[in-house]
Amino acid sequence: MKYILLILISALFFSCGSSEKTESSKHTSVIKNVMFTDVTAEAAIDFVHFNGAFGKKYFPETNGAGGGWLDYDGDGWQDMLVIQGTSWPSKPDEKPTLKLYRNKGDGTFVDATVDAGMNVSVYGMGMTAADYDYVGDTDVFITCVGENLFFRNDNGVFNEIGKQAGVNDPAWGASAMFFDYDKDGWLDLFVCNYVKWSEDTDLECSLDGKNKGYCTPEIYEGEPSKLYRNSGDGTFEDVTIPAGVYSEESKALGVAVLDFNSDGWLDIAEANDTQPDFLIENLGWNSTV
C-alpha cells in the first residue's frame, strides 16, 4: 500500500506541474470582487439597542451588547437573537426586552420574542448557544450586568433556569463559551467576567475637572472569570478554582476555545481589557495541579 500511495502522489505532482500555467491563469481569471448589501430593512429587522443612559455616565453604557445565530425551532433555518439593555434600577422608565427573530426562510424574519418566551428585560451583554442537555434543541446562556440568565429550550419555548442550573452569577458577565473541557461528553461553560461594578459602587471620573465623564477600566477592580462543569443532570458545578483558571488579574471581554498545542485537550484564550490577554493551557487528566 505504501508504494501505491507514492506512485499516486508522484503522478499527481507531475500532472500539477505540467498544467501550472493553465491552472494559474484559470484561477486568476475568475477572481471577482465580493460585495455586501445592507438588507436590514428588507429582512424586517428593526432592533435598536438601548443602553439606559440618562446623564449619570455609568460605565456599562459604553460597552454595547452582542447577539448570535441559532436554529431555536429546529426548522433548518438560522434565527437571530439580539441582546438588549434596559433602564437602571434608579430610573426604571424603559424596559425593552431581548429580541428573537425567527427566520422565515425567504430572506425575511418575524419577531418571535414573546411566543418563544424571550421577552425578558435585562441589562444584557453577550450570549452563547448550545444543546447543553443533549435533547435535540439549542439552549441559550446570556451574560449580563448583574445576574446571568440561562434559557433551556423546551420545544421552541425558552424557560429561564439560571438559578436552578447554578450559573446565575451576579457579576458583570461579558462573553461565554460552551465546550467540553474534561472530555466527559457533556458541554461545560466558561464565562468571562469584566470588572466589579454596580450603581452603588460607581466611581466619579472627569475630563475637565468639573463634569462627570465615563471612567476607564483601569480604575475598577477586575472580576475573575468562571468555569462551570456540566454535571450531566441539568446543573453545573463551579470548578474555577480547582481547575486552575481563577485569576484576579482578569478583566475579560472575549473568549475563544482551541487546542493550540494539538494535545487533544481544549485550551482557553481570554481577551482582557487593559490587562494582558490569557492563554490557559488545559493539562488534562494527568495533571497534578
Side-chain angles (χ1 to χ4, degrees):
M1 180 62 72
K2 181 186 297 182
Y3 299 105
I4 295 174
L5 179 60
L6 290 174
I7 292 170
L8 288 174
I9 292 175
S10 299
L12 179 60
F13 282 168
F14 179 81
S15 173
C16 289
S18 64
S19 60
E20 181 178 352
K21 183 176 181 181
T22 302
E23 289 297 314
S24 177
S25 301
K26 177 181 177 182
H27 288 300
T28 302
S29 65
V30 299
I31 294 177
K32 297 180 180 179
N33 291 330
V34 177
M35 302 295 293
F36 288 86
T37 301
D38 185 352
V39 295
T40 309
E42 293 89 334
I45 302 296
D46 58 357
F47 178 81
V48 177
H49 181 258
F50 177 74
N51 69 0
F54 65 106
K56 293 290 187 179
K57 301 295 180 69
Y58 288 151
F59 185 34
E61 296 166 3
T62 66
N63 285 59
W69 297 95
L70 69 154
D71 181 10
Y72 85 94
D73 54 358
D75 65 354
W77 294 96
Q78 290 295 306
D79 312 298
M80 182 181 4
L81 176 62
V82 192
I83 308 305
Q84 181 62 289
T86 190
S87 296
W88 298 112
S90 61
K91 195 176 185 298
D93 53 349
E94 293 187 57
K95 293 292 184 182
T97 71
L98 305 168
K99 281 285 187 178
L100 179 63
Y101 293 93
R102 183 175 62 80
N103 190 334
K104 295 171 64 177
D106 60 0
T108 66
F109 293 78
V110 61
D111 189 339
T113 308
V114 175
D115 291 343
M118 279 288 185
N119 53 325
V120 177
S121 182
V122 64
Y123 208 99
M125 297 299 296
M127 62 156 286
T128 186
D131 182 8
Y132 91 103
D133 50 3
Y134 296 109
V135 297
D137 46 26
T138 305
D139 312 292
V140 177
F141 180 83
I142 297 176
T143 57
C144 305
V145 180
E147 251 183 56
N148 294 324
L149 303 179
F150 188 28
F151 289 93
R152 186 185 62 217
N153 189 338
D154 296 321
N155 298 315
V157 177
F158 291 96
N159 291 292
E160 206 285 309
I161 59 165
K163 183 176 182 179
Q164 174 186 332
V167 293
N168 62 326
D169 185 10
W172 179 347
S175 300
M177 180 76 73
F178 282 107
F179 73 113
D180 185 6
Y181 87 93
D182 56 357
K183 296 204 289 190
D184 66 351
W186 293 97
L187 289 173
D188 311 300
L189 177 66
F190 184 83
V191 181
C192 289
N193 285 329
Y194 191 31
V195 299
K196 297 181 186 298
W197 182 92
S198 69
E199 271 197 286
D200 294 334
T201 61
D202 182 66
L203 299 176
E204 291 283 335
C205 297
S206 178
L207 295 175
D208 58 11
K210 299 178 181 179
N211 301 301
K212 183 179 180 183
Y214 285 109
C215 295
T216 59
E218 290 91 342
I219 70 170
Y220 284 102
E221 183 181 350
E223 183 74 62
S225 297
K226 289 198 172 182
L227 177 63
Y228 297 95
R229 187 179 67 83
N230 190 333
S231 301
D233 59 0
T235 66
F236 290 80
E237 175 190 2
D238 185 347
V239 294
T240 307
I241 294 177
V245 299
Y246 179 89
S247 174
E248 294 183 355
E249 302 300 315
S250 174
K251 291 183 180 179
L253 285 177
V255 59
V257 172
L258 71 162
D259 181 6
F260 81 93
N261 54 1
S262 300
D263 65 352
W265 293 91
L266 292 174
D267 311 296
I268 301 170
E270 178 182 293
N272 290 307
D273 193 9
T274 68
Q275 292 285 103
D277 297 331
F278 297 160
L279 179 57
I280 307 170
E281 181 182 4
N282 188 339
L283 301 178
W285 294 320
N286 294 324
S287 170
T288 57
V289 177

